[in-house]
Amino acid sequence: MSRRVLVIEDQEDNRRIVRDLLTSADYEVIEAETGEAGVAMAETARPGLILMDIQLPGIDGYEATRRIKANPALHHIPIIVITSYALSGDDVKAFDAGCDDYLAKPYDPFALLAKIRERLP
Amino acid sequence: MNRPAGRRLFGKYVVVLLLLVGGVLLLSSALDLYFSYQETKAALVRIEREQAVAAAARIEQFVQDIERQVRWTTQAAFDDPVAAQEQREIDYLRLLRNIPAIAEISHLDASGKERLRVSRLGLDAIGSQEDHSRAPKFLEARAGKTYFSPVYFRNESEPYMTVAVPAGEYGVEVTVAEVTLKAIWDVVSRIRIGQAGYAYVVDSLGRLVAHPDISLVLQKRDLSALPQVRAARGRRPAGGEEDVGMIAAGLQGGRFLTAHAPIAPLGWLVFVEQPLGEAFAPLQASIVRSIILFALGLALSVLASVLLARRMVAPIRTLQAGAARIGAGDLTHRIQVRTGDELETLGDEFNRTAARLQESYAGLEQKVEARTRELTDALEQLKALADVSRAVGSTLDLETVLDTIVARAVELSATSSGVIYEYDEATGAFHLKGSHRLEEEVVEVLRATPILLGEGAVGKAVAARAPIQVADILDEREYDVARIRAIFERLGYRSVLAVPLLLEQRIMGGLVVWRQAPGRFAPEVVNLVQTLAAQSVLAIHNARLFREIEDKGRQLESASKHKSQFLANMSHELRTPLNAILGYTKLITNNIYGEVPGKIRDVLGRVDQSGRHLLSLINDVLDVSKIEAGQLVLSLGEYSMKEVVHTVATAVEALAAEKKLSLKIMAAPDLPRGRGDERRLTQAVLNLVSNAIKFTDVGEVTVQATASDGSFLVSVSDTGPGISPADQQRIFEEFQQVDSSSTRKKGGTGLGLSIARRIVELHGGRMWVDSAPGEGSTFSFTLPVRVERREAR
Ligand SMILES: Nc1ncnc2c1ncn2[C@@H]1O[C@H](COP(=O)(O)OP(=O)(O)O)[C@@H](O)[C@H]1O
Ligand SMILES: [Mg+2]
C-alpha cells in the first residue's frame, strides 16, 4: 500500500505543518488547495489516506468527501476529516458525509500522526 | 301589637256602641224586672190578704153566730126557778140540736155553781153544784164580757174552745158553751193558693190553732218566734191593714210569701202563705223572657254596633289606606269616600294634594328625563371616546383605528358619512385612510385625485389650522372642488365639516363629515369631531412611531445577528493562525526540524502555553457569543460520565502537579451510561476543575460523580479561599469575577462559569456553589442521565 497521504487544505501553514510532520514520519505527502482539486487528485494519485479540511473555497470538505466516497474506485481510501471547532454538529455531518475518522481543530500534530498510523501504518 | 289604626278604631267604636246600647238595655231590663217583681209581689200579697181577710171574716162570723145563739138562749127569764130551769133545759137541747158546733152547754149560777149541763159528750147533769167560781170563764162572763178560752183538745185530736157569756135577768149568772172548732179547721183547710199555698191560724199567744196539717196543731206549736207572726202581733195594736205581706220562712222551712188578717174578737191571726218559687213562677217566666229579650237585644246591638262601627270606620280606613298609598308614592291613587261629611272633605283634600304632588313630580320627572338623556348622550360620547382610545391603544393597525374613529364621528355627530385623510408632507396631498358610509364612487374619486393643501374644506381647514364648515356645498363660492361637488349634488350631500389633524403645528391629516341637510353644524358637534380628530392624530402618530420602532428593532436584530456572525468568523480567523503557531511549536519541540537547544525549548514551552491560553480565551468568547445568539446547540450522543471525569483529570493533572495539589477523582463504580453532549459536558467539568486548581494554592481538589433517580450529581470541591455569599450569585454571570487582588492576579475572563452553567442548563440540569470565605468551595451540578432533544434556550 502506498504511504502517500493527500492533504486537502487551503491554509498554507496547516499544509506545511502536516507536510513536515508526515515527511518526518516517512509518508509521502501530496497537497490540494480546493475540494475540486482534491477530488481530482484523489482519482489520479490514488493516495493511501486523505486528510480533509472542512472549510474550503469552492465545494466544502463534506461535499468533497461525499464525492470521493461516491466513487467506487476511491471508496476504500480512508478519509480523516479535520473539523472546525467553530461550528457544532460538524462531527455528525462529517460522519454523515462518509468519513472514517475526524479530528477537531486545534489538534495536537502527534495525535493526528497517531490516527494516520492507525489507518496507514 | 301592630294592629292597623282602623282595627283599633273599629274596636273602640264597637265597645262604645255596645256599652251604650247594651247598658241601656240592661238597665231597662233590670228596672222592668224590679218593677214587675214589686207589682207581682204586691198583687200576690193582695190576693193572699184577701183570702186571709175572707177566712178571718168567716171565722169571726162563726164565732159571733155561736155567741149570739148562746146569748139569745140565756135571754129567757122566769121567776120560778124550776120553770126557768126546765125552760133552760129545753132551750139548751134545742140549741144543741140546731147548732152542731156546740158540744156542751152549761149554766152556772151567780155563785159559780153549775146548775145545769146539757152535753153531747157526756151525761147531762142537773144541779151538780160544781164550783166554777174561780175559773176565768165565770169571772170574765160575770164581769159582763164574752169569754173565749184558749183552744184545747178532746180525744187528743178534736179542738175545742170554751165560750162563756153572762146570763140571767141581772146578768149575774153565766152560760158556758163548749164549741168544737172543726168548722174553723174546715175553713182554714179549704183555703188554697196555687198548688202549695195554704192558710193557718194562730191564737193571741202565737200558738198554732189551725193548720191543714193537723199534727202540727196537736203539737201546739208556738209560732210566736216566726218573723211574720211576730210582725203581725206587733202591728196589731196599730190596726194597720195595708202592707201586711212579707217574705219569710215557712213553718217547715223554705221561703214563703205571706200575708195575714186578724180575727178581731178572738185576737187570732189568719196567715196565708205561698212558697216563693210558686208565687213568683209567673215572674220567673217573665225574667226568662226578659233575659231572652236582653240577650236578643244585646245580639242585635252587637250586630248594630259592628255594622255602625264598620260604617263609621270604613271611610276612615279608606282614607288611611289611600293616604298610605299616596304617601308611599302612588300619586295616581284617588281616595273614594262618599260619606257626604267631613271625611269626604278630608279625602278630597288628600286627592287634591296628591294631584298637586303628581303635577310637580311630572315636571320633575320631565326634567330628570331630559337630564338623563343629556347624561346618556354624554356617556355615549365618552364610551365612543373610550372605544376610540382603546382602539388607538390596542391596535397598531392604523386603518382599523381610523375606520373606528370616522365611524364614531359620523354616528355621534349624526351626519351621513365621513372620511379621514393622512397628509403626505412630500406631495402636499391628502390620502384617504378611512371612511364610513361613504359611497364607493366618492372614495374612488378621492383616491384617484387626492385633495391638495388649500383645496376643498379639508385643505382649507388644515391651511387655517381650524375647523371649517360649508353650510351649502352647492354654493360655488363656498365649495370650490368642482369634481366632487357634482357627485355630492347627485348624492344629496349639502353641508360639510372639516377638522384639521395637527400634531403641535405639524399637519397630520384631516377628519371630514358630510350631512344631507344644508346649514351650520352645532358647536357641540364641532367640538366632538375635534376631540375625535385629536385621537386620530394620536393614532397616526403612534402608528408612525411604531413603524419606526419596528424598523429599529429589525435593524437591531440583524445587527445582533451580524455581531454573533462576526464573532464566530472572527474567532475562526483568529484561531487559524493560532493553530499554525501551536502546530509549528509542537513540531519544533518534537525535533522535527532538528535538535532544539534547551534554552529555545524553554521559550517554546512558554509560546505553547500562551498560545493555548489565547486559544481558550477565543473559545470562551466564541461560546458566549453563541449562547447570546442562541446558537449553542447540543449534539446529543451516548457517553460515560466516568470517562468525562477522567478526561478532565488527565487534562489538568499536570497543572495540579505543578501547584503540588492533590487531585482526587471519585466516580461511583455503577454510573449509568449517559446521553448528552459529551464534549460540552467535558468542557463544563473542565471549567469547574480548572477554576478549583487555579484558585487553590494549598490542599486538594476533589471531583465526585454519583447517580441517583435518573440524575448525575457532579461536584468539584477545593480547599481554596472560598467565596462570599454576595459573590456566589455574581460569579455565574458573564464577565463577573470576585473583585479581589488575589483572584484578579490569576487572570481569566469571567466567562468559564457562565458557560459551564449554561451547558448544564441546556441539558436540563442545575448548577450551584456551596462556599464560605476561608472554607473552600464546592461547585456542583445535577444532570438528567438521559437527555432527549431540547429546544435551545
Ligand atoms: N473554586 C473557586 N474558588 C474561588 N473562587 C472561584 C472559584 N471558581 C470561580 N471563582 C471565582 O469566580 C470567578 C468567575 O470564574 P469564571 O467564570 O470561571 O471566570 P475566570 O475563571 O475566567 O475568572 C473567578 O474569577 C473567581 O473569582
Ligand atoms: Mg475559569
Side-chain angles (χ1 to χ4, degrees), chain B residues 13 86 196 236 262 301 410 492 499 641 687 696 713 744 752 757 774:
Chain B
Y13 272 131
E86 279 175 4
R236 206 161 38 150
S301 75
V410 169
V499 174
M641 183 53 88
N687 281 357
T696 307
L713 170 64
R744 281 256 176 246
R757 164 126 108 179

Side-chain angles (χ1 to χ4, degrees), chain B residues 687 690-691 694-695 748 750-753:
Chain B
N687 281 357
S690 52
N691 274 351
K694 182 160 79 170
F695 295 107
L751 293 174
L753 282 179

Side-chain angles (χ1 to χ4, degrees), chain B residues 11-304:
Chain B
K12 274 188 210 163
Y13 272 131
V14 168
V15 167
V16 167
L17 287 171
L18 216 60
L19 279 179
L20 253 149
V21 178
V24 168
L25 215 65
L26 193 68
L27 197 71
S28 83
S29 303
L31 281 175
D32 183 38
L33 220 60
Y34 175 74
F35 284 118
S36 70
Y37 165 75
Q38 291 296 349
E39 274 164 27
T40 309
K41 189 178 156 194
L44 282 170
V45 166
R46 209 176 317 120
I47 291 167
E48 280 184 356
R49 190 167 153 64
E50 274 165 15
Q51 295 262 14
V53 168
R58 282 177 63 187
I59 292 168
E60 206 175 314
Q61 182 73 44
F62 167 78
V63 173
Q64 276 172 353
D65 275 353
I66 287 179
E67 186 198 349
R68 204 175 48 242
Q69 291 289 336
V70 173
R71 267 185 197 273
W72 179 77
T73 307
T74 58
Q75 227 63 61
F78 289 93
D79 294 335
D80 177 12
V82 178
Q85 186 78 355
E86 279 175 4
Q87 181 61 41
R88 193 170 282 133
E89 199 179 339
I90 292 164
D91 284 350
Y92 280 13
L93 284 170
R94 197 176 58 231
L95 194 64
L96 281 188
R97 198 167 52 243
N98 285 350
I99 302 176
I102 297 174
E104 186 181 277
I105 190 159
S106 54
H107 180 77
L108 306 182
D109 64 15
S111 62
K113 301 234 172 42
E114 187 186 76
R115 289 296 188 83
L116 174 70
R117 184 173 63 195
V118 179
S119 177
R120 283 185 230 268
L121 308 168
L123 295 173
D124 295 352
I126 297 166
S128 67
Q129 300 292 345
E130 273 177 56
D131 187 8
H132 292 283
S133 59
R134 295 282 173 255
K137 52 189 179 189
F138 176 75
L139 295 175
E140 280 213 21
R142 262 270 307 258
K145 282 190 258 171
T146 304
Y147 167 78
F148 296 104
S149 77
V151 177
Y152 67 93
F153 294 90
R154 285 176 190 262
N155 302 331
E156 307 233 303
S157 66
E158 290 163 28
Y160 282 83
M161 182 177 70
T162 308
V163 178
V165 295
E169 208 169 345
Y170 309 105
V172 288
E173 292 152 67
V174 172
T175 308
V176 177
E178 299 301 327
V179 180
T180 171
L181 296 179
K182 269 187 80 174
I184 295 178
W185 279 14
D186 287 348
V187 169
V188 170
S189 304
R190 264 204 301 278
I191 294 176
R192 275 264 170 274
I193 302 258
Q195 293 293 312
Y198 56 90
Y200 60 90
V201 180
V202 295
D203 66 11
S204 55
L205 294 174
R207 278 197 305 252
L208 191 60
V209 175
H211 192 279
D213 184 353
I214 187 75
S215 62
L216 294 175
V217 179
L218 292 176
Q219 286 165 24
K220 295 187 187 152
R221 274 271 186 102
D222 183 0
L223 298 183
S224 57
L226 279 180
Q228 61 265 44
V229 176
R230 211 170 44 223
R233 289 178 67 214
R235 184 177 303 155
R236 206 161 38 150
E241 287 223 347
E242 295 311 309
D243 198 23
V244 281
M246 70 177 293
I247 292 168
L251 268 71
Q252 284 138 319
R255 292 183 65 73
F256 287 83
L257 185 65
T258 161
H260 66 271
I263 304 169
L266 297 170
W268 293 0
L269 289 165
V270 177
F271 285 88
V272 176
E273 293 187 348
Q274 191 177 11
L276 273 185
E278 192 186 280
F280 287 121
L283 197 63
Q284 241 161 24
S286 128
I287 288 174
V288 168
R289 204 169 46 240
S290 286
I291 287 174
I292 288 172
L293 273 177
F294 172 73
L296 225 69
L298 203 67
L300 264 173
S301 75
V302 165
L303 206 72

Side-chain angles (χ1 to χ4, degrees), chain A residues 11-14 16-18 20-21 24 55 84-89 91-92 104-110, chain B residues 568 572 575-576 579-584 586-587 590 592-593 615 619 622-623 626 631 633 635 679-680 683:
Chain A
Q11 291 284 323
E12 163 61 23
D13 279 317
N14 289 348
R16 172 147 186 211
I17 288 167
V18 173
D20 290 350
L21 177 70
S24 76
Q55 286 206 314
S84 165
Y85 190 18
L87 300 165
S88 60
D91 44 357
V92 182
K105 283 184 189 175
Y107 54 86
D108 183 334
F110 292 95
Chain B
H572 181 71
R575 262 197 329 216
T576 309
N579 279 340
I581 291 168
L582 290 173
Y584 284 128
K586 198 78 186 179
L587 292 190
N590 281 286
I592 299 294
Y593 302 109
L615 188 65
N619 284 339
L622 183 69
D623 282 345
K626 271 187 182 170
Q631 286 176 354
V633 182
S635 65
R679 195 161 58 78
R680 288 296 182 188
Q683 185 185 357

Side-chain angles (χ1 to χ4, degrees), chain B residues 555-569:
Chain B
Q555 284 168 16
L556 272 176
E557 207 178 311
S558 73
S560 152
K561 244 188 210 148
H562 285 142
K563 187 190 102 189
S564 297
Q565 192 57 51
F566 168 77
L567 280 173
N569 292 344

